[in-house]
Amino acid sequence: MTTNNNIHIHEPIIQVSKRDDMIWYKSWIVRAIAIILAMIVCGIVTVLLTGLDPISVYVSMFEGNFGTERRLWAMLKELALLLCVSLAVTPAFKMKFWNIGAEGQTLAGALACSACMILLSNIVPSYLLIPIMLVASVAAGLIWAIVPAYFKAKFNTNETLFTLMMNYIAMQLVSFCIVFWENPKNSNTVGVINPDSMLGWLPSIGGQKYAMCVIVVALLTVIMYIYLRYSKQGYEISVVGESQNTARYVGINVKKVIIRTMAISGALCGLAGFLIVSGVDHSITTASAGGMGFTAIMVSWLAKFNPVVMVLTSFLIVFLECGAGQIATAFDLNQSVADILTGIILFAIIGSEFFINYKIKFHKKNKEA
């Protein structure tokens, strides 16, 4: 029988424990340090791969976003679209419904918008066309999200796989429609829709064709912040995300919350599809969503599902992407080099979240007598 005197408690040399909520400004200091370290690493990589001066590369990255008014508005356009999709996936992810189908939901909205522009331009008065396009886009995105939500609520299916497969169905539907809408024929592209009449195009504001998109998403950000933080439905989303059993105990209809929240998520993705077609591209392809459905997950997660903070995380990612394109152009580099630099910075930011959420303790090794 072992006595207490013979028991040796060995503490681990390294102990990782969950950190209590870090004060917000300290978390941003950690992220800032991570970015600075990443920039140093990027400078070393730049010299090794290209022999270029890192400072000139960073200046070029800044110019790619703010160098001209045109570049500034192009950056704001990308920021608005990414932020819109990020806001869309946030309610579902806060509820711990892993909606990987934002790409397909956005494409569904874009497809409905394009169909209205092509099929109704000569039938519906111009002042009614845009509202019809908007309703159709929102409805299409909503339906695309409700299908997996219903099966999750009713049969507890795997929402990750279900929403992911819905992406591919949306892409094939777009490919199918492009065959009928080809312009010119046999080009396998739709081309610009209504280039002469501009029917269904969002109007310019102050001569800026992307201004309407920016304004709409800015208003949406405020609305989503209020909805998630102060509304009863926002509270229900938080409770379901924490524990479905707790939600049921306090009288929340979990199935109803799942379907309603995914309906909102899909509707906002449909809105993003509307903005892409009506406000930006005036066309549609299988790549119209541009991978934003997946990038938005990272934006939402880094912001801890806070719509206001999402503005900053969206800006950071768009800044890096636009800057990477400018680096490749200005220095005649392969785009892969610019993407490597972007990847290093993003990896550092994501890695910094570990130190924000966890703390590491080092213990001295016990010496046995």
Side-chain angles (χ1 to χ4, degrees):
M1 187 172 180
T2 306
T3 62
N4 290 336
N5 293 332
N6 295 327
I7 296 175
H8 298 282
I9 299 175
H10 296 277
E11 289 186 340
I13 298 176
I14 300 175
Q15 181 181 0
V16 179
S17 59
K18 184 76 174 177
R19 188 189 295 275
D20 296 332
D21 289 340
M22 182 181 284
I23 301 174
W24 68 270
Y25 67 84
K26 288 186 177 180
S27 65
W28 283 101
I29 290 174
V30 172
R31 294 186 181 101
I33 293 172
I35 293 174
I36 292 171
L37 293 175
M39 297 290 276
I40 294 172
V41 173
C42 286
I44 296 172
V45 171
T46 300
V47 172
L48 293 176
L49 292 181
T50 67
L52 296 172
D53 175 17
I55 301 300
S56 63
V57 172
Y58 295 146
V59 170
S60 178
M61 181 177 288
F62 186 85
E63 290 177 348
N65 290 272
F66 304 104
T68 63
E69 185 178 3
R70 179 176 173 275
R71 289 175 183 170
L72 173 61
W73 277 102
M75 183 272 292
L76 289 175
K77 175 256 295 182
E78 295 293 334
L79 170 60
L81 294 178
L82 178 58
L83 180 57
C84 186
V85 181
S86 301
L87 292 169
V89 301
T90 294
F93 272 82
K94 191 170 185 180
M95 187 179 62
K96 293 187 178 176
F97 184 104
W98 311 120
N99 179 19
I100 314 298
E103 192 87 357
Q105 292 150 27
T106 302
L107 272 179
L111 181 62
C113 182
S114 301
C116 291
M117 287 181 71
I118 293 170
L119 302 176
L120 300 180
S121 293
N122 297 323
I123 301 174
V124 177
S126 58
Y127 62 88
L128 285 178
L129 183 58
I130 289 180
I132 291 173
M133 290 161 51
L134 175 60
V135 171
S137 298
V138 169
L142 184 150
I143 292 170
W144 219 251
I146 276 187
V147 172
Y150 173 80
F151 279 89
K152 174 66 175 180
K154 190 73 174 177
F155 305 108
N156 196 31
T157 56
N158 187 311
E159 71 272 19
T160 303
L161 292 176
F162 206 133
T163 53
L164 182 63
M165 296 310 296
M166 293 288 284
N167 291 338
Y168 296 103
I169 297 174
M171 290 175 63
Q172 294 306 314
L173 278 176
V174 172
S175 298
F176 176 79
C177 292
I178 286 175
V179 173
F180 297 96
W181 297 340
E182 284 180 331
N183 186 25
K185 283 295 182 182
N186 301 319
S187 64
N188 200 32
T189 60
V190 174
V192 177
I193 305 171
N194 301 333
D196 299 323
S197 63
M198 293 191 291
L199 288 173
W201 292 25
L202 285 180
S204 300
I205 297 178
Q208 299 297 336
K209 62 180 181 178
Y210 302 139
M212 182 66 78
C213 294
V214 174
I215 293 172
V216 168
V217 176
L219 291 174
L220 181 62
T221 303
V222 175
I223 293 170
M224 284 300 296
Y225 178 79
I226 295 172
Y227 174 77
L228 291 174
R229 193 173 181 86
Y230 298 108
S231 72
K232 178 185 175 183
Q233 292 184 9
Y235 168 75
E236 290 176 343
I237 289 171
S238 297
V239 175
V240 172
E242 289 294 329
S243 170
Q244 290 191 10
N245 290 331
T246 302
R248 293 187 185 96
Y249 180 78
V250 298
I252 295 175
N253 188 331
V254 174
K255 293 181 180 180
K256 179 181 177 181
V257 173
I258 289 174
I259 294 175
R260 182 186 64 207
T261 303
M262 274 300 289
I264 294 171
S265 185
L268 295 182
C269 284
L271 173 62
F274 167 80
L275 294 177
I276 290 170
V277 174
S278 182
V280 177
D281 294 341
H282 313 303
S283 184
I284 186 169
T285 69
T286 54
S288 288
M292 285 185 292
F294 300 106
T295 308
I297 297 172
M298 181 167 60
V299 170
S300 180
W301 180 75
L302 285 175
K304 298 186 183 299
F305 313 127
N306 186 322
V308 175
V309 180
M310 265 180 247
V311 178
L312 298 177
T313 53
S314 297
F315 169 75
L316 176 62
I317 291 176
V318 170
F319 177 86
L320 293 174
E321 289 179 349
C322 294
Q326 178 62 19
I327 290 171
T329 302
F331 297 99
D332 194 25
L333 296 176
N334 188 305
Q335 180 68 36
S336 298
V337 176
D339 290 340
I340 289 172
L341 302 182
T342 301
I344 292 172
I345 296 173
L346 289 177
F347 181 81
I349 295 170
I350 294 172
S352 69
E353 295 298 312
F354 174 84
F355 298 98
I356 293 171
N357 295 308
Y358 297 92
K359 54 186 176 182
I360 301 175
K361 290 183 179 179
F362 294 91
H363 300 283
K364 291 182 179 180
K365 189 173 182 180
N366 292 330
K367 293 183 178 180
E368 298 183 11

